[in-house]
Structures are given as C-alpha cells and as structure tokens.
Amino acid sequence: MLLSSFWSHPLVETTGYFSVTVLCLVLSMVIFEVVTKYKNWEEIKNGNVAVALATGGKIFGVANIFRHSIQQHSSLPEMLAWGGFGFFLLIMAYWLFEFLTPRFNVDEEIGNGNRAVGLISLIISVGLSYVIAASIT
C-alpha cells in the first residue's frame, strides 16, 4: 500500500512525466538531426539563426504534443504511445513542407542561413503541433 501511494503521489508522477518527456525530446532531436541535412547544434553554435528558429520550432512542437498527451492520458505507456505518434506526425509535416516547396530545398535553405525559411519552419512546427495535440484523445 505504501509503495503504490508513493508512485501515485503528484510530485512523483510529475517527476516521472517530466523525465520521460525530456528523454523523448532528446530522442526527437537526435532523430531530427538524422533527417535534416545540416548539423543542428553545430550550426546553432556557429550562429545560424535559421537553424535555431527551425530547431526551436521542433522543440516547442514536440513539447506541446507531449503536454497534451500527458493531459489526456492517465498512464505513462498511453502518454508515450500518443506522444510518439504525434511526434511521427510532426516529422511527416516536416517532410510535407519539403515536398510542397519544389522551387527550393528547405534543408539547404535553412542550412545556408535563410531566416525566412527557418521562421516558416518554426511556424509550421508550432502550428501543426497544436493541430496534432488537439487530436490526441
């Protein structure tokens, strides 16, 4: 009885959700590092504002999706499953953005420091994260 009350204590639950979400966020950044042609953190270190904007949008988007997943689900496995699915949809949105802009290569433009493309990437990530999060049931 004492152990079950420990795991259901709000501070323990919050710490658990926070820890798992941070791990998922780190994993998502690794995955984004693989799917983009530029090296996110190296470019940010070198002052590439376009990459910082795009990466910030991805971080916000993933965090927003997991926020809604935590609110909608009472178990950690459900939260992870829906948050992971939402992250998958966010990656699909990124590829869709690339596909719908045939006149230029999104990754190249962001990697080359095109802040306008970086800003649009941020807005797409944030905006679609709200749509994805709203649909998480």
Side-chain angles (χ1 to χ4, degrees), residues 17-18 21 24 59-87 89-90 125-137:
Y17 280 124
F18 173 80
T21 301
C24 290
I59 291 169
F60 185 97
V62 170
N64 188 40
I65 288 167
F66 274 94
R67 172 192 175 270
H68 283 275
S69 187
I70 289 167
Q71 282 184 315
Q72 294 297 321
H73 300 98
S74 59
S75 76
L76 190 61
E78 273 187 328
M79 182 276 288
L80 276 172
W82 281 102
F85 180 65
F87 170 67
L89 292 176
L90 200 59
S125 293
V126 170
L128 289 179
S129 78
Y130 277 94
V131 173
I132 294 165
S135 68
I136 290 175
T137 58

Side-chain angles (χ1 to χ4, degrees), residues 31-52:
I31 292 170
F32 275 124
E33 188 84 24
V34 170
V35 300
T36 56
K37 295 176 184 168
Y38 49 85
K39 300 295 179 202
N40 293 305
W41 303 110
E42 188 176 312
E43 290 292 331
I44 291 170
K45 180 183 170 205
N46 292 331
N48 189 328
V49 174
V51 172

Side-chain angles (χ1 to χ4, degrees), residues 97-134:
F97 176 39
E98 184 77 64
F99 176 74
L100 293 176
T101 53
R103 294 182 182 225
F104 61 89
N105 183 295
V106 172
D107 270 356
E108 273 182 30
E109 293 297 320
I110 291 173
N112 291 334
N114 186 331
R115 286 182 240 161
V117 177
L119 179 62
I120 292 297
S121 178
L122 176 142
I123 291 169
I124 288 171
S125 293
V126 170
L128 289 179
S129 78
Y130 277 94
V131 173
I132 294 165

